[in-house]
PDB file of all heavy atoms in Angstrom:
ATOM      1  N   MET M 938     105.760 135.318 116.103  1.00 83.00           N
ATOM      2  CA  MET M 938     106.956 135.902 116.484  1.00 83.00           C
ATOM      3  C   MET M 938     107.909 134.886 117.300  1.00 83.00           C
ATOM      4  O   MET M 938     109.125 135.001 117.148  1.00 83.00           O
ATOM      5  CB  MET M 938     106.651 137.148 117.410  1.00 83.00           C
ATOM      6  CG  MET M 938     107.836 137.756 117.879  1.00 83.00           C
ATOM      7  SD  MET M 938     107.440 139.295 118.789  1.00 83.00           S
ATOM      8  CE  MET M 938     109.100 139.551 119.347  1.00 83.00           C
ATOM      9  N   ALA M 939     107.191 134.138 118.153  1.00 89.00           N
ATOM     10  CA  ALA M 939     108.072 133.206 118.891  1.00 89.00           C
ATOM     11  C   ALA M 939     108.692 132.181 118.025  1.00 89.00           C
ATOM     12  O   ALA M 939     109.839 131.803 118.265  1.00 89.00           O
ATOM     13  CB  ALA M 939     107.083 132.427 119.913  1.00 89.00           C
ATOM     14  N   THR M 940     107.922 131.721 116.980  1.00 91.00           N
ATOM     15  CA  THR M 940     108.546 130.930 116.036  1.00 91.00           C
ATOM     16  C   THR M 940     109.825 131.424 115.358  1.00 91.00           C
ATOM     17  O   THR M 940     110.905 130.739 115.240  1.00 91.00           O
ATOM     18  CB  THR M 940     107.528 130.338 114.987  1.00 91.00           C
ATOM     19  OG1 THR M 940     106.436 129.706 115.663  1.00 91.00           O
ATOM     20  CG2 THR M 940     108.073 129.468 114.015  1.00 91.00           C
ATOM     21  N   ALA M 941     109.593 132.612 114.926  1.00 90.00           N
ATOM     22  CA  ALA M 941     110.735 133.289 114.203  1.00 90.00           C
ATOM     23  C   ALA M 941     111.892 133.439 115.233  1.00 90.00           C
ATOM     24  O   ALA M 941     113.116 133.313 114.741  1.00 90.00           O
ATOM     25  CB  ALA M 941     110.305 134.603 113.638  1.00 90.00           C
ATOM     26  N   CYS M 942     111.592 133.840 116.403  1.00 88.00           N
ATOM     27  CA  CYS M 942     112.703 134.074 117.408  1.00 88.00           C
ATOM     28  C   CYS M 942     113.469 132.768 117.568  1.00 88.00           C
ATOM     29  O   CYS M 942     114.815 132.826 117.630  1.00 88.00           O
ATOM     30  CB  CYS M 942     112.036 134.608 118.667  1.00 88.00           C
ATOM     31  SG  CYS M 942     113.302 135.011 119.942  1.00 88.00           S
ATOM     32  N   LEU M 943     112.749 131.711 117.855  1.00 93.00           N
ATOM     33  CA  LEU M 943     113.605 130.380 118.168  1.00 93.00           C
ATOM     34  C   LEU M 943     114.154 129.857 116.908  1.00 93.00           C
ATOM     35  O   LEU M 943     115.295 129.450 116.996  1.00 93.00           O
ATOM     36  CB  LEU M 943     112.585 129.399 118.782  1.00 93.00           C
ATOM     37  CG  LEU M 943     112.134 129.681 120.120  1.00 93.00           C
ATOM     38  CD1 LEU M 943     111.269 128.562 120.719  1.00 93.00           C
ATOM     39  CD2 LEU M 943     113.325 129.918 121.110  1.00 93.00           C
ATOM     40  N   ALA M 944     113.645 129.980 115.795  1.00 91.00           N
ATOM     41  CA  ALA M 944     114.224 129.576 114.580  1.00 91.00           C
ATOM     42  C   ALA M 944     115.516 130.453 114.294  1.00 91.00           C
ATOM     43  O   ALA M 944     116.614 129.832 113.943  1.00 91.00           O
ATOM     44  CB  ALA M 944     113.351 129.623 113.428  1.00 91.00           C
ATOM     45  N   GLY M 945     115.454 131.690 114.541  1.00 89.00           N
ATOM     46  CA  GLY M 945     116.636 132.549 114.486  1.00 89.00           C
ATOM     47  C   GLY M 945     117.704 132.158 115.451  1.00 89.00           C
ATOM     48  O   GLY M 945     118.895 132.146 115.077  1.00 89.00           O
ATOM     49  N   SER M 946     117.285 131.900 116.629  1.00 89.00           N
ATOM     50  CA  SER M 946     118.212 131.342 117.659  1.00 89.00           C
ATOM     51  C   SER M 946     119.036 130.154 117.107  1.00 89.00           C
ATOM     52  O   SER M 946     120.269 130.083 117.312  1.00 89.00           O
ATOM     53  CB  SER M 946     117.598 131.090 118.948  1.00 89.00           C
ATOM     54  OG  SER M 946     117.127 132.286 119.523  1.00 89.00           O
ATOM     55  N   VAL M 947     118.209 129.220 116.659  1.00 93.00           N
ATOM     56  CA  VAL M 947     118.850 127.955 116.069  1.00 93.00           C
ATOM     57  C   VAL M 947     119.790 128.295 114.980  1.00 93.00           C
ATOM     58  O   VAL M 947     120.944 127.787 114.976  1.00 93.00           O
ATOM     59  CB  VAL M 947     117.782 127.017 115.598  1.00 93.00           C
ATOM     60  CG1 VAL M 947     118.368 125.814 115.006  1.00 93.00           C
ATOM     61  CG2 VAL M 947     116.893 126.516 116.844  1.00 93.00           C
ATOM     62  N   ARG M 948     119.415 129.176 113.989  1.00 89.00           N
ATOM     63  CA  ARG M 948     120.376 129.521 112.857  1.00 89.00           C
ATOM     64  C   ARG M 948     121.497 130.145 113.434  1.00 89.00           C
ATOM     65  O   ARG M 948     122.652 129.935 112.870  1.00 89.00           O
ATOM     66  CB  ARG M 948     119.437 130.274 111.813  1.00 89.00           C
ATOM     67  CG  ARG M 948     118.537 129.525 110.943  1.00 89.00           C
ATOM     68  CD  ARG M 948     118.019 130.309 109.755  1.00 89.00           C
ATOM     69  NE  ARG M 948     117.578 131.618 110.087  1.00 89.00           N
ATOM     70  CZ  ARG M 948     116.310 131.870 110.645  1.00 89.00           C
ATOM     71  NH1 ARG M 948     115.465 130.883 110.712  1.00 89.00           N
ATOM     72  NH2 ARG M 948     115.895 133.100 110.954  1.00 89.00           N
ATOM     73  N   ALA M 949     121.386 131.217 114.170  1.00 87.00           N
ATOM     74  CA  ALA M 949     122.417 131.981 114.626  1.00 87.00           C
ATOM     75  C   ALA M 949     123.436 131.131 115.378  1.00 87.00           C
ATOM     76  O   ALA M 949     124.668 131.314 115.286  1.00 87.00           O
ATOM     77  CB  ALA M 949     121.943 133.140 115.579  1.00 87.00           C
ATOM     78  N   ALA M 950     123.051 130.312 116.209  1.00 86.00           N
ATOM     79  CA  ALA M 950     123.843 129.406 117.027  1.00 86.00           C
ATOM     80  C   ALA M 950     124.594 128.401 116.367  1.00 86.00           C
ATOM     81  O   ALA M 950     125.519 127.747 116.929  1.00 86.00           O
ATOM     82  CB  ALA M 950     123.082 128.858 118.273  1.00 86.00           C
ATOM     83  N   THR M 951     124.165 128.039 115.074  1.00 89.00           N
ATOM     84  CA  THR M 951     124.776 126.868 114.462  1.00 89.00           C
ATOM     85  C   THR M 951     125.188 127.274 112.976  1.00 89.00           C
ATOM     86  O   THR M 951     125.240 126.528 112.140  1.00 89.00           O
ATOM     87  CB  THR M 951     123.681 125.821 114.341  1.00 89.00           C
ATOM     88  OG1 THR M 951     122.569 126.195 113.657  1.00 89.00           O
ATOM     89  CG2 THR M 951     123.350 125.231 115.712  1.00 89.00           C
ATOM     90  N   ARG M 952     125.505 128.702 112.764  1.00 87.00           N
ATOM     91  CA  ARG M 952     125.941 129.021 111.388  1.00 87.00           C
ATOM     92  C   ARG M 952     127.260 128.296 111.008  1.00 87.00           C
ATOM     93  O   ARG M 952     128.235 128.353 111.746  1.00 87.00           O
ATOM     94  CB  ARG M 952     126.159 130.510 111.332  1.00 87.00           C
ATOM     95  CG  ARG M 952     124.758 131.306 111.315  1.00 87.00           C
ATOM     96  CD  ARG M 952     125.031 132.730 111.235  1.00 87.00           C
ATOM     97  NE  ARG M 952     126.477 133.182 111.062  1.00 87.00           N
ATOM     98  CZ  ARG M 952     126.704 134.435 111.341  1.00 87.00           C
ATOM     99  NH1 ARG M 952     125.831 135.346 111.512  1.00 87.00           N
ATOM    100  NH2 ARG M 952     127.983 134.767 111.147  1.00 87.00           N
ATOM    101  N   THR M 957     130.090 128.306 117.358  1.00 75.00           N
ATOM    102  CA  THR M 957     128.663 127.872 117.750  1.00 75.00           C
ATOM    103  C   THR M 957     128.372 128.637 119.100  1.00 75.00           C
ATOM    104  O   THR M 957     129.170 129.034 119.837  1.00 75.00           O
ATOM    105  CB  THR M 957     128.642 126.330 117.971  1.00 75.00           C
ATOM    106  OG1 THR M 957     129.571 125.912 118.846  1.00 75.00           O
ATOM    107  CG2 THR M 957     128.635 125.693 116.647  1.00 75.00           C
ATOM    108  N   GLY M 958     127.042 128.733 119.385  1.00 71.00           N
ATOM    109  CA  GLY M 958     126.684 129.255 120.628  1.00 71.00           C
ATOM    110  C   GLY M 958     126.367 130.758 120.510  1.00 71.00           C
ATOM    111  O   GLY M 958     126.114 131.269 119.374  1.00 71.00           O
ATOM    112  N   CYS M 959     126.529 131.504 121.546  1.00 67.00           N
ATOM    113  CA  CYS M 959     126.220 133.084 121.514  1.00 67.00           C
ATOM    114  C   CYS M 959     127.224 133.615 122.468  1.00 67.00           C
ATOM    115  O   CYS M 959     127.189 133.232 123.763  1.00 67.00           O
ATOM    116  CB  CYS M 959     124.699 133.148 121.905  1.00 67.00           C
ATOM    117  SG  CYS M 959     124.342 134.875 122.259  1.00 67.00           S
ATOM    118  N   VAL M 962     125.662 134.869 125.730  1.00 65.00           N
ATOM    119  CA  VAL M 962     125.283 133.801 126.832  1.00 65.00           C
ATOM    120  C   VAL M 962     126.575 133.178 127.321  1.00 65.00           C
ATOM    121  O   VAL M 962     126.960 133.231 128.553  1.00 65.00           O
ATOM    122  CB  VAL M 962     124.431 132.678 126.236  1.00 65.00           C
ATOM    123  CG1 VAL M 962     124.260 131.646 127.133  1.00 65.00           C
ATOM    124  CG2 VAL M 962     123.141 133.187 125.821  1.00 65.00           C
ATOM    125  N   LEU M 990     110.833 141.807 124.308  1.00 95.00           N
ATOM    126  CA  LEU M 990     109.900 140.755 123.941  1.00 95.00           C
ATOM    127  C   LEU M 990     108.624 140.818 124.865  1.00 95.00           C
ATOM    128  O   LEU M 990     107.582 140.706 124.251  1.00 95.00           O
ATOM    129  CB  LEU M 990     110.588 139.364 124.231  1.00 95.00           C
ATOM    130  CG  LEU M 990     111.545 138.901 123.234  1.00 95.00           C
ATOM    131  CD1 LEU M 990     112.157 137.427 123.805  1.00 95.00           C
ATOM    132  CD2 LEU M 990     110.778 138.585 121.841  1.00 95.00           C
ATOM    133  N   LEU M1016     110.724 132.276 126.500  1.00 95.00           N
ATOM    134  CA  LEU M1016     111.396 132.309 125.158  1.00 95.00           C
ATOM    135  C   LEU M1016     112.847 132.503 125.342  1.00 95.00           C
ATOM    136  O   LEU M1016     113.626 131.848 124.589  1.00 95.00           O
ATOM    137  CB  LEU M1016     110.685 133.378 124.433  1.00 95.00           C
ATOM    138  CG  LEU M1016     110.851 133.138 122.864  1.00 95.00           C
ATOM    139  CD1 LEU M1016     110.286 131.916 122.280  1.00 95.00           C
ATOM    140  CD2 LEU M1016     110.251 134.407 122.076  1.00 95.00           C
ATOM    141  N   MET M1017     113.294 133.474 126.162  1.00 93.00           N
ATOM    142  CA  MET M1017     114.609 133.840 126.258  1.00 93.00           C
ATOM    143  C   MET M1017     115.374 132.580 126.926  1.00 93.00           C
ATOM    144  O   MET M1017     116.510 132.255 126.672  1.00 93.00           O
ATOM    145  CB  MET M1017     114.816 135.142 127.073  1.00 93.00           C
ATOM    146  CG  MET M1017     114.454 136.299 126.233  1.00 93.00           C
ATOM    147  SD  MET M1017     115.491 136.541 124.772  1.00 93.00           S
ATOM    148  CE  MET M1017     117.026 136.903 125.481  1.00 93.00           C
ATOM    149  N   THR M1018     114.842 131.935 127.928  1.00 93.00           N
ATOM    150  CA  THR M1018     115.421 130.749 128.483  1.00 93.00           C
ATOM    151  C   THR M1018     115.669 129.576 127.401  1.00 93.00           C
ATOM    152  O   THR M1018     116.702 129.052 127.400  1.00 93.00           O
ATOM    153  CB  THR M1018     114.568 130.264 129.692  1.00 93.00           C
ATOM    154  OG1 THR M1018     114.407 131.333 130.704  1.00 93.00           O
ATOM    155  CG2 THR M1018     115.170 129.051 130.304  1.00 93.00           C
ATOM    156  N   VAL M1019     114.642 129.430 126.671  1.00 95.00           N
ATOM    157  CA  VAL M1019     114.853 128.374 125.549  1.00 95.00           C
ATOM    158  C   VAL M1019     115.909 128.869 124.557  1.00 95.00           C
ATOM    159  O   VAL M1019     116.758 127.980 124.192  1.00 95.00           O
ATOM    160  CB  VAL M1019     113.486 128.120 124.936  1.00 95.00           C
ATOM    161  CG1 VAL M1019     113.728 127.194 123.758  1.00 95.00           C
ATOM    162  CG2 VAL M1019     112.439 127.376 125.790  1.00 95.00           C
ATOM    163  N   ALA M1020     115.926 130.026 124.145  1.00 93.00           N
ATOM    164  CA  ALA M1020     116.864 130.509 123.235  1.00 93.00           C
ATOM    165  C   ALA M1020     118.224 130.497 123.761  1.00 93.00           C
ATOM    166  O   ALA M1020     119.329 130.136 123.048  1.00 93.00           O
ATOM    167  CB  ALA M1020     116.472 131.990 122.799  1.00 93.00           C
ATOM    168  N   ASN M1021     118.432 130.862 125.038  1.00 89.00           N
ATOM    169  CA  ASN M1021     119.661 130.806 125.660  1.00 89.00           C
ATOM    170  C   ASN M1021     120.313 129.436 125.799  1.00 89.00           C
ATOM    171  O   ASN M1021     121.347 129.076 125.639  1.00 89.00           O
ATOM    172  CB  ASN M1021     119.695 131.568 126.976  1.00 89.00           C
ATOM    173  CG  ASN M1021     119.655 133.054 126.922  1.00 89.00           C
ATOM    174  OD1 ASN M1021     119.860 133.562 125.849  1.00 89.00           O
ATOM    175  ND2 ASN M1021     119.055 133.586 127.978  1.00 89.00           N
ATOM    176  N   GLY M1022     119.342 128.479 126.120  1.00 91.00           N
ATOM    177  CA  GLY M1022     119.575 127.086 126.216  1.00 91.00           C
ATOM    178  C   GLY M1022     120.022 126.617 124.817  1.00 91.00           C
ATOM    179  O   GLY M1022     120.874 125.715 124.769  1.00 91.00           O
ATOM    180  N   ILE M1023     119.422 126.915 123.804  1.00 92.00           N
ATOM    181  CA  ILE M1023     119.778 126.578 122.506  1.00 92.00           C
ATOM    182  C   ILE M1023     121.258 126.988 122.181  1.00 92.00           C
ATOM    183  O   ILE M1023     122.047 126.161 121.655  1.00 92.00           O
ATOM    184  CB  ILE M1023     118.856 127.201 121.419  1.00 92.00           C
ATOM    185  CG1 ILE M1023     117.494 126.534 121.427  1.00 92.00           C
ATOM    186  CG2 ILE M1023     119.484 127.258 120.031  1.00 92.00           C
ATOM    187  CD1 ILE M1023     116.482 127.098 120.516  1.00 92.00           C
ATOM    188  N   ALA M1024     121.602 128.238 122.625  1.00 89.00           N
ATOM    189  CA  ALA M1024     122.928 128.712 122.409  1.00 89.00           C
ATOM    190  C   ALA M1024     123.995 127.747 123.236  1.00 89.00           C
ATOM    191  O   ALA M1024     125.123 127.414 122.640  1.00 89.00           O
ATOM    192  CB  ALA M1024     123.072 130.116 122.851  1.00 89.00           C
ATOM    193  N   VAL M1025     123.559 127.359 124.446  1.00 89.00           N
ATOM    194  CA  VAL M1025     124.632 126.649 125.345  1.00 89.00           C
ATOM    195  C   VAL M1025     124.676 125.169 124.662  1.00 89.00           C
ATOM    196  O   VAL M1025     125.803 124.663 124.490  1.00 89.00           O
ATOM    197  CB  VAL M1025     124.001 126.529 126.645  1.00 89.00           C
ATOM    198  CG1 VAL M1025     124.771 125.423 127.529  1.00 89.00           C
ATOM    199  CG2 VAL M1025     124.063 127.881 127.370  1.00 89.00           C
ATOM    200  N   ALA M1027     124.251 124.365 121.474  1.00 90.00           N
ATOM    201  CA  ALA M1027     124.946 124.466 120.198  1.00 90.00           C
ATOM    202  C   ALA M1027     126.479 124.579 120.580  1.00 90.00           C
ATOM    203  O   ALA M1027     127.282 123.934 119.786  1.00 90.00           O
ATOM    204  CB  ALA M1027     124.626 125.782 119.496  1.00 90.00           C
ATOM    205  N   ARG M1033     122.213 121.330 114.463  1.00 94.00           N
ATOM    206  CA  ARG M1033     121.044 122.293 114.060  1.00 94.00           C
ATOM    207  C   ARG M1033     119.722 121.594 114.090  1.00 94.00           C
ATOM    208  O   ARG M1033     118.643 122.100 114.609  1.00 94.00           O
ATOM    209  CB  ARG M1033     121.302 122.898 112.741  1.00 94.00           C
ATOM    210  CG  ARG M1033     120.303 123.807 112.321  1.00 94.00           C
ATOM    211  CD  ARG M1033     120.519 124.518 110.965  1.00 94.00           C
ATOM    212  NE  ARG M1033     121.400 125.554 111.220  1.00 94.00           N
ATOM    213  CZ  ARG M1033     121.593 126.640 110.349  1.00 94.00           C
ATOM    214  NH1 ARG M1033     120.990 126.601 109.139  1.00 94.00           N
ATOM    215  NH2 ARG M1033     122.385 127.568 110.652  1.00 94.00           N
ATOM    216  N   LEU M1036     118.452 120.985 117.617  1.00 96.00           N
ATOM    217  CA  LEU M1036     118.027 122.066 118.150  1.00 96.00           C
ATOM    218  C   LEU M1036     116.763 122.634 117.751  1.00 96.00           C
ATOM    219  O   LEU M1036     115.881 123.209 118.385  1.00 96.00           O
ATOM    220  CB  LEU M1036     119.153 123.285 118.158  1.00 96.00           C
ATOM    221  CG  LEU M1036     120.453 122.938 118.876  1.00 96.00           C
ATOM    222  CD1 LEU M1036     121.538 123.949 118.524  1.00 96.00           C
ATOM    223  CD2 LEU M1036     120.204 122.879 120.423  1.00 96.00           C
ATOM    224  N   GLN M1037     116.516 122.398 116.412  1.00 96.00           N
ATOM    225  CA  GLN M1037     115.287 122.863 115.891  1.00 96.00           C
ATOM    226  C   GLN M1037     114.073 122.009 116.413  1.00 96.00           C
ATOM    227  O   GLN M1037     112.967 122.521 116.604  1.00 96.00           O
ATOM    228  CB  GLN M1037     115.214 122.765 114.289  1.00 96.00           C
ATOM    229  CG  GLN M1037     113.986 123.289 113.658  1.00 96.00           C
ATOM    230  CD  GLN M1037     113.799 124.722 113.980  1.00 96.00           C
ATOM    231  OE1 GLN M1037     114.682 125.683 113.711  1.00 96.00           O
ATOM    232  NE2 GLN M1037     112.596 125.056 114.547  1.00 96.00           N
ATOM    233  N   ALA M1040     113.366 123.551 119.708  1.00 96.00           N
ATOM    234  CA  ALA M1040     112.509 124.757 119.463  1.00 96.00           C
ATOM    235  C   ALA M1040     111.106 124.470 119.103  1.00 96.00           C
ATOM    236  O   ALA M1040     110.096 125.080 119.703  1.00 96.00           O
ATOM    237  CB  ALA M1040     113.109 125.617 118.340  1.00 96.00           C
TER     238      ALA M1040
END
Side-chain angles (χ1 to χ4, degrees):
M938 177 173 174
T940 301
C942 183
L943 290 182
S946 293
V947 170
R948 282 191 312 274
T951 60
R952 286 187 354 197
T957 56
C959 169
V962 174
L990 282 172
L1016 196 64
M1017 288 301 290
T1018 299
V1019 174
N1021 290 338
I1023 285 170
V1025 170
R1033 179 178 279 199
L1036 292 172
Q1037 186 59 55

